[in-house]
Amino acid sequence: MKQLFTFLICCALISISSCRKDFSTIPNFGTLEFSKDTVFLDTIFTNIGSATYNLKVYNRSNNAITIPKIQLENGTSSNYRLNVDGIPGKDFSNIDILAKDSIFVFIETTVNVANQSSPLYIDRILFDTGNNQQDVDLVTLVEDANFIFPGKDPISMKIDSLTLDGQPTSIKGRFLEDTELTFTNTKPTVIYGYAAVPANKTLIIEAGSRVHFHDNSGLIVDDKATLKVNGTLSEKVIFEGDRLENSFSEIPGQWGTIWMRAGSRDNEIHHALIKNGIIGVLIDSIGSTSTPTLKLQNTEIYNQTNFGILARETNLEANNVVIGSAGEASLAATIGGTYNFTHSTFANYWSNGIRQLPAVVINNFFIYNNDAGQEIIETRDLKAANFTNCIFEGNNNIEFLVDKVDGGGLFNYSIKNCMIKFNDSSNSFEDVFEVDFNNNPNYSNIILNGIANFRDTQKNDFIIGDKSSAINKAIASPFTLDILGVDRTTAPDIGAYQHITFD
C-alpha cells in the first residue's frame, strides 16, 4: 500500500509538471537513451500484481523533441501497465521531452499463468515508429502457486478471523481443510492471513516445498495439532515472504511467525530455511521433559525483526541449527522449560537498529501487571537448558545470558564445550553466579571470547574458517554429520559447521 501511494504521488507530480507546454519541439529522430535495455520485473505469483518498476528515457540532444508514439508491442492485450510522464495507459501519443532532459516510465504487471504457454512473460515498449523506432524489453517470470486465503463474510465482506480455544480473536485467517494438510514441492504455497492446523490433525510439508507468507500472515499449529517439515539436505523447505523481488530477499519483518500453540505436540522441522519474518518460530507449549514439543534439526533461521526462536515454558530439542540476525534475540528460552541444543551456531549481527538483548537469553520467569496495576513476577521450573558444542556470537559485547529470578523451583543448566562472546567491560555481571564462567560448575571447557572466523556475517554465512578458535574443540555427540552433511566423527568443531579454508 505504501509503494502504491508513493507511485500515485510521483505520477501526480509528474502530471502537474507536464500538463503545460510553452516550448517548441522537433520530431524525435531516433537517438533516445534509456536507463536500461531490459526491465526485469523479477518473479511474481500468478494473478498477484508486481511491484512498480521504472525506466528513465533521456533526450541528450540540444533540442526539445516530441515522440509521436509510445506503445506496448502487444497493445491493449498486454499484461503490462505503463505510466508515461504521469499518464496511465498502454498507448501514448506526442510525448515531449525537453532538451537535455528525461521522463520516467513506470511499469507494472499482473499475469495469469494459466493463460500463458510459457512462465516467462515478455513484451516490449516501442518508442516511435519506422526508422526511428527504438525499444526496451520487458521480462517477467510468473510462477503458479497454491493460494490459501481466509474467508469473507458474504454480507459485510469482512475477512474471517480465527477462533482459538473457543474464543474469537482478531487474527485474520482460517483452519486448513483436510485436503490442504500436505504442502508439496509441485507448486509454492502462498498464505494470506494465518493458516491454522486443527486439533488432532497433522500438516506435512514435503521436501523441497516453498511456503510464502503475505504481510501479517503465518502458520499456527493449534492445541493437539502437529507440524512435520520433512526437508532434506538436497531439498530444503523454505519459509519466507511473498515478495519475490531481489530487493526483498533479505528484508526482515515481511510476515508473522510459525506459532506452535500450547498443547501442540510432536512437531518436527528438518532441513528448513526460515527467513525474513517477525518471529521465526514461536513455541508456546508446555512440554514434558520426555517428549519435545519441537525437534529442530539442520535448520537455518535468519533476519527476524524480533526473535529467531521465542520459546516459552516448552520442551525444545535441536541440533545443527543456525540462528542469525534478529532485532531482539536469536534464541529466547523463557519462563523455564526444557532446552537441549547440540552443535548449533547463534550469530546475531543485527544491523537495522540497536539490539538490547544478547544472541541467546535463558530465564525462568515472566512479568505481568495484576488487576491493581502491580507488577508481578512469577517463576517456573527451568528443568534443563543444555548447550553442547555451540557458538554464541554477534556484534554486541554480551551474546549469552542466563537470567535467574529466585523463587524456588528448578534451575538446571549445563554449558559444555561452547564458545561464548561475553565482554563485560562495565563489570555489570561481576557478581552474577549464573555467568561466572570460571567458578560455576555448570560450565565446562568454555572458550571465552574466541575467534569465530565466520565467512561472511553480512550474508548470514556462518561457516567457520581455518583461523577459528572452535576447531577440534567439540566433544563427541550422536550428531556425526554437520548441517551440510560433512562428517565430524573425528575431531569435531564447535558449532553447526565443520571448518573449511576460505578462498
Side-chain angles (χ1 to χ4, degrees):
M1 196 64 172
K2 185 176 179 181
Q3 283 190 333
L4 177 60
F5 178 75
T6 305
F7 172 66
L8 292 174
I9 290 295
C10 290
C11 293
L13 291 174
I14 293 170
S15 179
I16 291 169
S17 65
S18 61
C19 64
R20 181 170 165 255
K21 179 175 178 177
D22 53 4
F23 55 90
S24 61
T25 64
I26 65 172
N28 174 52
F29 46 92
T31 60
L32 297 170
E33 294 182 19
F34 307 101
S35 56
K36 55 195 79 171
D37 295 326
T38 303
V39 179
F40 295 97
L41 279 78
D42 289 313
T43 304
I44 61 171
F45 289 117
T46 182
N47 292 320
I48 302 298
S50 71
T52 302
Y53 295 78
N54 66 73
L55 171 72
K56 205 167 186 181
V57 183
Y58 298 94
N59 172 21
R60 304 290 194 190
S61 74
N62 294 319
N63 298 296
I65 63 172
T66 296
I67 307 171
K69 197 78 169 173
I70 299 177
Q71 61 186 326
L72 288 161
E73 186 174 47
N74 291 337
T76 57
S77 64
S78 177
N79 289 314
Y80 288 103
R81 302 180 296 277
L82 304 181
N83 189 296
V84 177
D85 205 23
I87 304 168
K90 298 186 180 185
D91 190 319
F92 308 84
S93 299
N94 299 322
I95 301 298
D96 299 324
I97 311 181
L98 291 171
K100 304 294 185 183
D101 205 350
S102 61
I103 61 171
F104 276 104
V105 177
F106 296 98
I107 308 149
E108 297 177 339
T109 189
T110 304
V111 183
N112 183 347
V113 74
N115 297 332
Q116 307 303 317
S117 59
S118 167
L120 194 65
Y121 184 70
I122 60 175
D123 201 345
R124 292 192 302 165
I125 307 176
L126 304 179
F127 296 84
D128 213 328
T129 59
N131 293 333
N132 291 331
Q133 187 175 88
Q134 297 172 264
D135 63 80
V136 172
D137 293 328
L138 305 177
V139 180
T140 306
L141 181 64
V142 187
E143 283 200 55
D144 199 2
N146 295 314
F147 291 92
I148 296 174
F149 295 96
K152 284 185 179 180
D153 185 281
I155 299 174
S156 67
M157 296 304 291
K158 289 184 177 179
I159 298 173
D160 292 347
S161 297
L162 282 166
T163 296
L164 300 173
D165 300 327
Q167 300 296 319
T169 73
S170 61
I171 301 171
K172 303 301 181 184
R174 66 173 175 84
F175 283 94
L176 295 169
E177 303 290 340
D178 286 354
T179 55
E180 298 172 312
L181 289 174
T182 299
F183 294 174
T184 72
N185 61 10
T186 306
K187 298 179 183 179
T189 298
V190 183
I191 296 175
Y192 281 68
Y194 276 81
V197 186
N200 302 308
K201 301 290 184 179
T202 298
L203 172 62
I204 297 173
I205 304 181
E206 295 180 351
S209 298
R210 289 164 48 208
V211 184
H212 298 267
F213 300 100
H214 194 62
D215 187 29
N216 296 318
S217 300
L219 189 63
I220 294 176
V221 188
D222 204 12
D223 181 23
K224 298 183 179 65
T226 301
L227 171 66
K228 300 287 187 184
V229 178
N230 298 328
T232 65
L233 178 60
S234 60
E235 293 186 293
K236 292 180 183 178
V237 173
I238 299 175
F239 299 89
E240 61 180 330
D242 66 344
R243 297 299 300 270
L244 303 183
E245 303 94 321
N246 288 332
S247 59
F248 281 81
S249 63
E250 302 298 328
I251 301 298
Q254 296 179 47
W255 56 282
T257 186
I258 300 170
W259 180 18
M260 297 171 186
R261 297 193 67 233
S264 70
R265 57 197 182 192
D266 300 323
N267 300 296
E268 295 185 11
I269 299 178
H270 300 273
H271 289 285
L273 172 60
I274 304 169
K275 58 185 291 192
N276 301 339
I278 295 175
I279 299 175
V281 182
L282 170 59
I283 317 167
D284 230 4
S285 298
I286 299 174
S288 69
T289 54
S290 58
T291 305
T293 302
L294 171 63
K295 289 184 177 180
L296 184 66
Q297 296 182 332
N298 300 298
T299 291
E300 303 158 86
I301 303 175
Y302 301 131
N303 298 334
Q304 307 297 323
T305 304
N306 291 352
F307 299 94
I309 296 178
L310 175 57
R312 300 188 286 205
E313 198 177 3
T314 192
N315 187 334
L316 172 57
E317 178 184 302
N319 66 81
N320 284 342
V321 170
V322 181
I323 310 181
S325 60
E328 296 191 46
S330 299
L331 168 67
T334 66
I335 322 178
T338 302
Y339 308 96
N340 290 284
F341 279 83
T342 307
H343 276 298
S344 293
T345 298
F346 307 92
N348 198 335
Y349 291 85
W350 180 254
S351 59
N352 294 310
I354 297 174
R355 174 167 56 92
Q356 302 294 333
L357 295 177
V360 173
V361 60
I362 304 161
N363 71 39
N364 68 330
F365 62 89
F366 66 102
I367 301 172
Y368 66 96
N369 291 325
N370 64 14
D371 294 339
Q374 298 172 311
E375 184 177 271
I376 305 297
I377 300 176
E378 290 196 14
T379 61
R380 294 288 187 270
D381 285 344
L382 181 64
K383 298 173 183 177
N386 300 322
F387 292 82
T388 304
N389 301 336
C390 295
I391 294 176
F392 306 93
E393 262 289 349
N395 52 7
N396 280 358
N397 285 328
I398 292 173
E399 296 294 10
F400 177 82
L401 182 62
V402 179
D403 189 10
K404 178 183 179 182
V405 167
D406 291 327
L410 300 175
F411 198 87
N412 298 323
Y413 60 102
S414 174
I415 318 298
K416 296 179 180 178
N417 292 75
C418 291
M419 189 166 78
I420 301 173
K421 182 177 181 181
F422 194 94
N423 292 315
D424 185 19
S425 56
S426 62
N427 296 322
S428 300
F429 297 92
E430 186 175 13
D431 298 321
V432 178
F433 178 72
E434 284 71 34
V435 288
D436 185 345
F437 304 106
N438 297 315
N439 301 308
N440 184 334
N442 295 301
Y443 296 95
S444 59
N445 298 320
I446 298 303
I447 300 173
L448 197 61
N449 301 318
I451 299 171
N453 193 206
F454 295 131
R455 184 158 62 178
D456 194 335
T457 60
Q458 298 307 305
K459 294 182 179 179
N460 288 312
D461 184 349
F462 301 117
I463 295 175
I464 59 174
D466 55 14
K467 296 179 178 61
S468 177
S469 305
I471 295 174
N472 299 343
K473 298 297 175 61
I475 56 174
S477 77
F479 309 107
T480 55
L481 299 178
D482 79 355
I483 192 172
L484 298 178
V486 177
D487 187 270
R488 60 155 76 102
T489 305
T490 59
D493 298 337
I494 295 173
Y497 299 96
Q498 286 292 99
H499 75 280
I500 63 172
T501 300
F502 301 150
D503 294 333

mmCIF file with all atom_site columns, all heavy atoms in Angstrom, residues 293-312:
data_model
loop_
_atom_site.group_PDB
_atom_site.id
_atom_site.type_symbol
_atom_site.label_atom_id
_atom_site.label_alt_id
_atom_site.label_comp_id
_atom_site.label_asym_id
_atom_site.label_entity_id
_atom_site.label_seq_id
_atom_site.pdbx_PDB_ins_code
_atom_site.Cartn_x
_atom_site.Cartn_y
_atom_site.Cartn_z
_atom_site.occupancy
_atom_site.B_iso_or_equiv
_atom_site.pdbx_formal_charge
_atom_site.auth_seq_id
_atom_site.auth_comp_id
_atom_site.auth_asym_id
_atom_site.auth_atom_id
_atom_site.pdbx_PDB_model_num
ATOM 1   N N   . THR A 1 293 ? 8.261  -30.763 22.482 1.00 0.00 ? 293 THR A N   1
ATOM 2   C CA  . THR A 1 293 ? 7.207  -30.135 21.690 1.00 0.00 ? 293 THR A CA  1
ATOM 3   C C   . THR A 1 293 ? 7.687  -29.956 20.256 1.00 0.00 ? 293 THR A C   1
ATOM 4   O O   . THR A 1 293 ? 6.916  -30.108 19.310 1.00 0.00 ? 293 THR A O   1
ATOM 5   C CB  . THR A 1 293 ? 6.834  -28.771 22.287 1.00 0.00 ? 293 THR A CB  1
ATOM 6   O OG1 . THR A 1 293 ? 6.412  -28.958 23.636 1.00 0.00 ? 293 THR A OG1 1
ATOM 7   C CG2 . THR A 1 293 ? 5.726  -28.108 21.492 1.00 0.00 ? 293 THR A CG2 1
ATOM 8   N N   . LEU A 1 294 ? 8.983  -29.625 20.098 1.00 0.00 ? 294 LEU A N   1
ATOM 9   C CA  . LEU A 1 294 ? 9.561  -29.450 18.774 1.00 0.00 ? 294 LEU A CA  1
ATOM 10  C C   . LEU A 1 294 ? 10.944 -30.081 18.722 1.00 0.00 ? 294 LEU A C   1
ATOM 11  O O   . LEU A 1 294 ? 11.783 -29.826 19.581 1.00 0.00 ? 294 LEU A O   1
ATOM 12  C CB  . LEU A 1 294 ? 9.676  -27.958 18.423 1.00 0.00 ? 294 LEU A CB  1
ATOM 13  C CG  . LEU A 1 294 ? 10.464 -27.617 17.149 1.00 0.00 ? 294 LEU A CG  1
ATOM 14  C CD1 . LEU A 1 294 ? 9.800  -28.208 15.913 1.00 0.00 ? 294 LEU A CD1 1
ATOM 15  C CD2 . LEU A 1 294 ? 10.647 -26.109 17.007 1.00 0.00 ? 294 LEU A CD2 1
ATOM 16  N N   . LYS A 1 295 ? 11.169 -30.899 17.692 1.00 0.00 ? 295 LYS A N   1
ATOM 17  C CA  . LYS A 1 295 ? 12.504 -31.355 17.332 1.00 0.00 ? 295 LYS A CA  1
ATOM 18  C C   . LYS A 1 295 ? 12.937 -30.561 16.106 1.00 0.00 ? 295 LYS A C   1
ATOM 19  O O   . LYS A 1 295 ? 12.275 -30.597 15.064 1.00 0.00 ? 295 LYS A O   1
ATOM 20  C CB  . LYS A 1 295 ? 12.513 -32.856 17.025 1.00 0.00 ? 295 LYS A CB  1
ATOM 21  C CG  . LYS A 1 295 ? 12.331 -33.738 18.243 1.00 0.00 ? 295 LYS A CG  1
ATOM 22  C CD  . LYS A 1 295 ? 12.459 -35.217 17.866 1.00 0.00 ? 295 LYS A CD  1
ATOM 23  C CE  . LYS A 1 295 ? 12.341 -36.108 19.099 1.00 0.00 ? 295 LYS A CE  1
ATOM 24  N NZ  . LYS A 1 295 ? 12.466 -37.548 18.745 1.00 0.00 ? 295 LYS A NZ  1
ATOM 25  N N   . LEU A 1 296 ? 14.047 -29.862 16.240 1.00 0.00 ? 296 LEU A N   1
ATOM 26  C CA  . LEU A 1 296 ? 14.519 -28.960 15.202 1.00 0.00 ? 296 LEU A CA  1
ATOM 27  C C   . LEU A 1 296 ? 15.913 -29.416 14.765 1.00 0.00 ? 296 LEU A C   1
ATOM 28  O O   . LEU A 1 296 ? 16.836 -29.455 15.578 1.00 0.00 ? 296 LEU A O   1
ATOM 29  C CB  . LEU A 1 296 ? 14.567 -27.540 15.755 1.00 0.00 ? 296 LEU A CB  1
ATOM 30  C CG  . LEU A 1 296 ? 14.937 -26.399 14.817 1.00 0.00 ? 296 LEU A CG  1
ATOM 31  C CD1 . LEU A 1 296 ? 13.885 -26.212 13.742 1.00 0.00 ? 296 LEU A CD1 1
ATOM 32  C CD2 . LEU A 1 296 ? 15.106 -25.106 15.617 1.00 0.00 ? 296 LEU A CD2 1
ATOM 33  N N   . GLN A 1 297 ? 16.065 -29.743 13.489 1.00 0.00 ? 297 GLN A N   1
ATOM 34  C CA  . GLN A 1 297 ? 17.338 -30.270 13.013 1.00 0.00 ? 297 GLN A CA  1
ATOM 35  C C   . GLN A 1 297 ? 17.719 -29.648 11.669 1.00 0.00 ? 297 GLN A C   1
ATOM 36  O O   . GLN A 1 297 ? 16.869 -29.439 10.809 1.00 0.00 ? 297 GLN A O   1
ATOM 37  C CB  . GLN A 1 297 ? 17.261 -31.799 12.845 1.00 0.00 ? 297 GLN A CB  1
ATOM 38  C CG  . GLN A 1 297 ? 17.029 -32.550 14.144 1.00 0.00 ? 297 GLN A CG  1
ATOM 39  C CD  . GLN A 1 297 ? 17.006 -34.061 13.942 1.00 0.00 ? 297 GLN A CD  1
ATOM 40  O OE1 . GLN A 1 297 ? 16.651 -34.542 12.876 1.00 0.00 ? 297 GLN A OE1 1
ATOM 41  N NE2 . GLN A 1 297 ? 17.375 -34.807 14.969 1.00 0.00 ? 297 GLN A NE2 1
ATOM 42  N N   . ASN A 1 298 ? 19.024 -29.354 11.540 1.00 0.00 ? 298 ASN A N   1
ATOM 43  C CA  . ASN A 1 298 ? 19.581 -28.916 10.253 1.00 0.00 ? 298 ASN A CA  1
ATOM 44  C C   . ASN A 1 298 ? 18.782 -27.761 9.648  1.00 0.00 ? 298 ASN A C   1
ATOM 45  O O   . ASN A 1 298 ? 18.398 -27.783 8.475  1.00 0.00 ? 298 ASN A O   1
ATOM 46  C CB  . ASN A 1 298 ? 19.626 -30.091 9.269  1.00 0.00 ? 298 ASN A CB  1
ATOM 47  C CG  . ASN A 1 298 ? 20.478 -31.230 9.782  1.00 0.00 ? 298 ASN A CG  1
ATOM 48  O OD1 . ASN A 1 298 ? 21.679 -31.076 10.004 1.00 0.00 ? 298 ASN A OD1 1
ATOM 49  N ND2 . ASN A 1 298 ? 19.853 -32.384 10.003 1.00 0.00 ? 298 ASN A ND2 1
ATOM 50  N N   . THR A 1 299 ? 18.574 -26.750 10.462 1.00 0.00 ? 299 THR A N   1
ATOM 51  C CA  . THR A 1 299 ? 17.688 -25.650 10.077 1.00 0.00 ? 299 THR A CA  1
ATOM 52  C C   . THR A 1 299 ? 18.372 -24.309 10.285 1.00 0.00 ? 299 THR A C   1
ATOM 53  O O   . THR A 1 299 ? 19.110 -24.121 11.254 1.00 0.00 ? 299 THR A O   1
ATOM 54  C CB  . THR A 1 299 ? 16.374 -25.729 10.860 1.00 0.00 ? 299 THR A CB  1
ATOM 55  O OG1 . THR A 1 299 ? 15.625 -26.871 10.404 1.00 0.00 ? 299 THR A OG1 1
ATOM 56  C CG2 . THR A 1 299 ? 15.521 -24.486 10.683 1.00 0.00 ? 299 THR A CG2 1
ATOM 57  N N   . GLU A 1 300 ? 18.096 -23.374 9.366  1.00 0.00 ? 300 GLU A N   1
ATOM 58  C CA  . GLU A 1 300 ? 18.634 -22.010 9.441  1.00 0.00 ? 300 GLU A CA  1
ATOM 59  C C   . GLU A 1 300 ? 17.484 -21.022 9.613  1.00 0.00 ? 300 GLU A C   1
ATOM 60  O O   . GLU A 1 300 ? 16.459 -21.139 8.938  1.00 0.00 ? 300 GLU A O   1
ATOM 61  C CB  . GLU A 1 300 ? 19.396 -21.671 8.165  1.00 0.00 ? 300 GLU A CB  1
ATOM 62  C CG  . GLU A 1 300 ? 20.542 -22.623 7.846  1.00 0.00 ? 300 GLU A CG  1
ATOM 63  C CD  . GLU A 1 300 ? 20.892 -22.589 6.377  1.00 0.00 ? 300 GLU A CD  1
ATOM 64  O OE1 . GLU A 1 300 ? 21.691 -21.711 5.985  1.00 0.00 ? 300 GLU A OE1 1
ATOM 65  O OE2 . GLU A 1 300 ? 20.360 -23.428 5.619  1.00 0.00 ? 300 GLU A OE2 1
ATOM 66  N N   . ILE A 1 301 ? 17.686 -20.044 10.500 1.00 0.00 ? 301 ILE A N   1
ATOM 67  C CA  . ILE A 1 301 ? 16.677 -19.019 10.754 1.00 0.00 ? 301 ILE A CA  1
ATOM 68  C C   . ILE A 1 301 ? 17.375 -17.661 10.709 1.00 0.00 ? 301 ILE A C   1
ATOM 69  O O   . ILE A 1 301 ? 18.284 -17.407 11.500 1.00 0.00 ? 301 ILE A O   1
ATOM 70  C CB  . ILE A 1 301 ? 15.992 -19.232 12.120 1.00 0.00 ? 301 ILE A CB  1
ATOM 71  C CG1 . ILE A 1 301 ? 15.369 -20.632 12.202 1.00 0.00 ? 301 ILE A CG1 1
ATOM 72  C CG2 . ILE A 1 301 ? 14.932 -18.164 12.362 1.00 0.00 ? 301 ILE A CG2 1
ATOM 73  C CD1 . ILE A 1 301 ? 14.775 -20.973 13.557 1.00 0.00 ? 301 ILE A CD1 1
ATOM 74  N N   . TYR A 1 302 ? 16.957 -16.804 9.782  1.00 0.00 ? 302 TYR A N   1
ATOM 75  C CA  . TYR A 1 302 ? 17.645 -15.532 9.564  1.00 0.00 ? 302 TYR A CA  1
ATOM 76  C C   . TYR A 1 302 ? 16.667 -14.367 9.476  1.00 0.00 ? 302 TYR A C   1
ATOM 77  O O   . TYR A 1 302 ? 15.514 -14.519 9.104  1.00 0.00 ? 302 TYR A O   1
ATOM 78  C CB  . TYR A 1 302 ? 18.435 -15.568 8.247  1.00 0.00 ? 302 TYR A CB  1
ATOM 79  C CG  . TYR A 1 302 ? 19.481 -16.641 8.145  1.00 0.00 ? 302 TYR A CG  1
ATOM 80  C CD1 . TYR A 1 302 ? 19.544 -17.461 7.021  1.00 0.00 ? 302 TYR A CD1 1
ATOM 81  C CD2 . TYR A 1 302 ? 20.408 -16.857 9.159  1.00 0.00 ? 302 TYR A CD2 1
ATOM 82  C CE1 . TYR A 1 302 ? 20.508 -18.444 6.899  1.00 0.00 ? 302 TYR A CE1 1
ATOM 83  C CE2 . TYR A 1 302 ? 21.376 -17.838 9.053  1.00 0.00 ? 302 TYR A CE2 1
ATOM 84  C CZ  . TYR A 1 302 ? 21.419 -18.629 7.929  1.00 0.00 ? 302 TYR A CZ  1
ATOM 85  O OH  . TYR A 1 302 ? 22.371 -19.618 7.821  1.00 0.00 ? 302 TYR A OH  1
ATOM 86  N N   . ASN A 1 303 ? 17.179 -13.183 9.801  1.00 0.00 ? 303 ASN A N   1
ATOM 87  C CA  . ASN A 1 303 ? 16.520 -11.899 9.505  1.00 0.00 ? 303 ASN A CA  1
ATOM 88  C C   . ASN A 1 303 ? 15.113 -11.804 10.080 1.00 0.00 ? 303 ASN A C   1
ATOM 89  O O   . ASN A 1 303 ? 14.146 -11.534 9.367  1.00 0.00 ? 303 ASN A O   1
ATOM 90  C CB  . ASN A 1 303 ? 16.467 -11.656 7.990  1.00 0.00 ? 303 ASN A CB  1
ATOM 91  C CG  . ASN A 1 303 ? 17.836 -11.561 7.359  1.00 0.00 ? 303 ASN A CG  1
ATOM 92  O OD1 . ASN A 1 303 ? 18.804 -11.196 8.017  1.00 0.00 ? 303 ASN A OD1 1
ATOM 93  N ND2 . ASN A 1 303 ? 17.928 -11.913 6.095  1.00 0.00 ? 303 ASN A ND2 1
ATOM 94  N N   . GLN A 1 304 ? 15.009 -11.981 11.387 1.00 0.00 ? 304 GLN A N   1
ATOM 95  C CA  . GLN A 1 304 ? 13.720 -11.838 12.066 1.00 0.00 ? 304 GLN A CA  1
ATOM 96  C C   . GLN A 1 304 ? 13.692 -10.511 12.817 1.00 0.00 ? 304 GLN A C   1
ATOM 97  O O   . GLN A 1 304 ? 14.649 -10.172 13.523 1.00 0.00 ? 304 GLN A O   1
ATOM 98  C CB  . GLN A 1 304 ? 13.492 -12.997 13.036 1.00 0.00 ? 304 GLN A CB  1
ATOM 99  C CG  . GLN A 1 304 ? 13.657 -14.372 12.411 1.00 0.00 ? 304 GLN A CG  1
ATOM 100 C CD  . GLN A 1 304 ? 12.658 -14.666 11.313 1.00 0.00 ? 304 GLN A CD  1
ATOM 101 O OE1 . GLN A 1 304 ? 11.494 -14.265 11.388 1.00 0.00 ? 304 GLN A OE1 1
ATOM 102 N NE2 . GLN A 1 304 ? 13.100 -15.364 10.270 1.00 0.00 ? 304 GLN A NE2 1
ATOM 103 N N   . THR A 1 305 ? 12.608 -9.779  12.691 1.00 0.00 ? 305 THR A N   1
ATOM 104 C CA  . THR A 1 305 ? 12.518 -8.472  13.335 1.00 0.00 ? 305 THR A CA  1
ATOM 105 C C   . THR A 1 305 ? 12.660 -8.568  14.844 1.00 0.00 ? 305 THR A C   1
ATOM 106 O O   . THR A 1 305 ? 13.305 -7.724  15.468 1.00 0.00 ? 305 THR A O   1
ATOM 107 C CB  . THR A 1 305 ? 11.166 -7.811  13.002 1.00 0.00 ? 305 THR A CB  1
ATOM 108 O OG1 . THR A 1 305 ? 11.020 -7.745  11.583 1.00 0.00 ? 305 THR A OG1 1
ATOM 109 C CG2 . THR A 1 305 ? 11.104 -6.405  13.559 1.00 0.00 ? 305 THR A CG2 1
ATOM 110 N N   . ASN A 1 306 ? 12.094 -9.591  15.472 1.00 0.00 ? 306 ASN A N   1
ATOM 111 C CA  . ASN A 1 306 ? 12.137 -9.726  16.928 1.00 0.00 ? 306 ASN A CA  1
ATOM 112 C C   . ASN A 1 306 ? 13.015 -10.896 17.372 1.00 0.00 ? 306 ASN A C   1
ATOM 113 O O   . ASN A 1 306 ? 14.086 -10.688 17.918 1.00 0.00 ? 306 ASN A O   1
ATOM 114 C CB  . ASN A 1 306 ? 10.723 -9.865  17.501 1.00 0.00 ? 306 ASN A CB  1
ATOM 115 C CG  . ASN A 1 306 ? 9.917  -8.592  17.380 1.00 0.00 ? 306 ASN A CG  1
ATOM 116 O OD1 . ASN A 1 306 ? 10.442 -7.547  17.009 1.00 0.00 ? 306 ASN A OD1 1
ATOM 117 N ND2 . ASN A 1 306 ? 8.633  -8.659  17.669 1.00 0.00 ? 306 ASN A ND2 1
ATOM 118 N N   . PHE A 1 307 ? 12.555 -12.120 17.158 1.00 0.00 ? 307 PHE A N   1
ATOM 119 C CA  . PHE A 1 307 ? 13.270 -13.293 17.649 1.00 0.00 ? 307 PHE A CA  1
ATOM 120 C C   . PHE A 1 307 ? 13.427 -14.332 16.542 1.00 0.00 ? 307 PHE A C   1
ATOM 121 O O   . PHE A 1 307 ? 12.515 -14.530 15.739 1.00 0.00 ? 307 PHE A O   1
ATOM 122 C CB  . PHE A 1 307 ? 12.522 -13.958 18.818 1.00 0.00 ? 307 PHE A CB  1
ATOM 123 C CG  . PHE A 1 307 ? 12.341 -13.084 20.030 1.00 0.00 ? 307 PHE A CG  1
ATOM 124 C CD1 . PHE A 1 307 ? 11.178 -12.344 20.194 1.00 0.00 ? 307 PHE A CD1 1
ATOM 125 C CD2 . PHE A 1 307 ? 13.330 -13.000 21.005 1.00 0.00 ? 307 PHE A CD2 1
ATOM 126 C CE1 . PHE A 1 307 ? 10.996 -11.542 21.303 1.00 0.00 ? 307 PHE A CE1 1
ATOM 127 C CE2 . PHE A 1 307 ? 13.158 -12.201 22.121 1.00 0.00 ? 307 PHE A CE2 1
ATOM 128 C CZ  . PHE A 1 307 ? 11.992 -11.459 22.267 1.00 0.00 ? 307 PHE A CZ  1
ATOM 129 N N   . GLY A 1 308 ? 14.573 -15.007 16.547 1.00 0.00 ? 308 GLY A N   1
ATOM 130 C CA  . GLY A 1 308 ? 14.702 -16.184 15.698 1.00 0.00 ? 308 GLY A CA  1
ATOM 131 C C   . GLY A 1 308 ? 13.799 -17.285 16.215 1.00 0.00 ? 308 GLY A C   1
ATOM 132 O O   . GLY A 1 308 ? 12.942 -17.802 15.490 1.00 0.00 ? 308 GLY A O   1
ATOM 133 N N   . ILE A 1 309 ? 13.987 -17.637 17.486 1.00 0.00 ? 309 ILE A N   1
ATOM 134 C CA  . ILE A 1 309 ? 13.076 -18.548 18.193 1.00 0.00 ? 309 ILE A CA  1
ATOM 135 C C   . ILE A 1 309 ? 12.703 -17.907 19.511 1.00 0.00 ? 309 ILE A C   1
ATOM 136 O O   . ILE A 1 309 ? 13.581 -17.490 20.285 1.00 0.00 ? 309 ILE A O   1
ATOM 137 C CB  . ILE A 1 309 ? 13.722 -19.920 18.464 1.00 0.00 ? 309 ILE A CB  1
ATOM 138 C CG1 . ILE A 1 309 ? 14.028 -20.656 17.154 1.00 0.00 ? 309 ILE A CG1 1
ATOM 139 C CG2 . ILE A 1 309 ? 12.811 -20.787 19.345 1.00 0.00 ? 309 ILE A CG2 1
ATOM 140 C CD1 . ILE A 1 309 ? 14.724 -22.004 17.358 1.00 0.00 ? 309 ILE A CD1 1
ATOM 141 N N   . LEU A 1 310 ? 11.417 -17.829 19.780 1.00 0.00 ? 310 LEU A N   1
ATOM 142 C CA  . LEU A 1 310 ? 10.915 -17.431 21.092 1.00 0.00 ? 310 LEU A CA  1
ATOM 143 C C   . LEU A 1 310 ? 10.210 -18.644 21.678 1.00 0.00 ? 310 LEU A C   1
ATOM 144 O O   . LEU A 1 310 ? 9.155  -19.062 21.183 1.00 0.00 ? 310 LEU A O   1
ATOM 145 C CB  . LEU A 1 310 ? 9.959  -16.244 20.983 1.00 0.00 ? 310 LEU A CB  1
ATOM 146 C CG  . LEU A 1 310 ? 9.266  -15.821 22.286 1.00 0.00 ? 310 LEU A CG  1
ATOM 147 C CD1 . LEU A 1 310 ? 10.283 -15.477 23.371 1.00 0.00 ? 310 LEU A CD1 1
ATOM 148 C CD2 . LEU A 1 310 ? 8.324  -14.644 22.038 1.00 0.00 ? 310 LEU A CD2 1
ATOM 149 N N   . ALA A 1 311 ? 10.820 -19.226 22.719 1.00 0.00 ? 311 ALA A N   1
ATOM 150 C CA  . ALA A 1 311 ? 10.279 -20.436 23.349 1.00 0.00 ? 311 ALA A CA  1
ATOM 151 C C   . ALA A 1 311 ? 9.833  -20.081 24.760 1.00 0.00 ? 311 ALA A C   1
ATOM 152 O O   . ALA A 1 311 ? 10.593 -19.484 25.530 1.00 0.00 ? 311 ALA A O   1
ATOM 153 C CB  . ALA A 1 311 ? 11.343 -21.527 23.379 1.00 0.00 ? 311 ALA A CB  1
ATOM 154 N N   . ARG A 1 312 ? 8.592  -20.482 25.102 1.00 0.00 ? 312 ARG A N   1
ATOM 155 C CA  . ARG A 1 312 ? 8.036  -20.120 26.401 1.00 0.00 ? 312 ARG A CA  1
ATOM 156 C C   . ARG A 1 312 ? 7.550  -21.367 27.128 1.00 0.00 ? 312 ARG A C   1
ATOM 157 O O   . ARG A 1 312 ? 6.575  -21.981 26.727 1.00 0.00 ? 312 ARG A O   1
ATOM 158 C CB  . ARG A 1 312 ? 6.890  -19.121 26.217 1.00 0.00 ? 312 ARG A CB  1
ATOM 159 C CG  . ARG A 1 312 ? 7.342  -17.843 25.522 1.00 0.00 ? 312 ARG A CG  1
ATOM 160 C CD  . ARG A 1 312 ? 6.303  -16.760 25.481 1.00 0.00 ? 312 ARG A CD  1
ATOM 161 N NE  . ARG A 1 312 ? 5.234  -17.003 24.525 1.00 0.00 ? 312 ARG A NE  1
ATOM 162 C CZ  . ARG A 1 312 ? 4.505  -16.036 23.959 1.00 0.00 ? 312 ARG A CZ  1
ATOM 163 N NH1 . ARG A 1 312 ? 4.759  -14.778 24.246 1.00 0.00 ? 312 ARG A NH1 1
ATOM 164 N NH2 . ARG A 1 312 ? 3.533  -16.331 23.111 1.00 0.00 ? 312 ARG A NH2 1
#
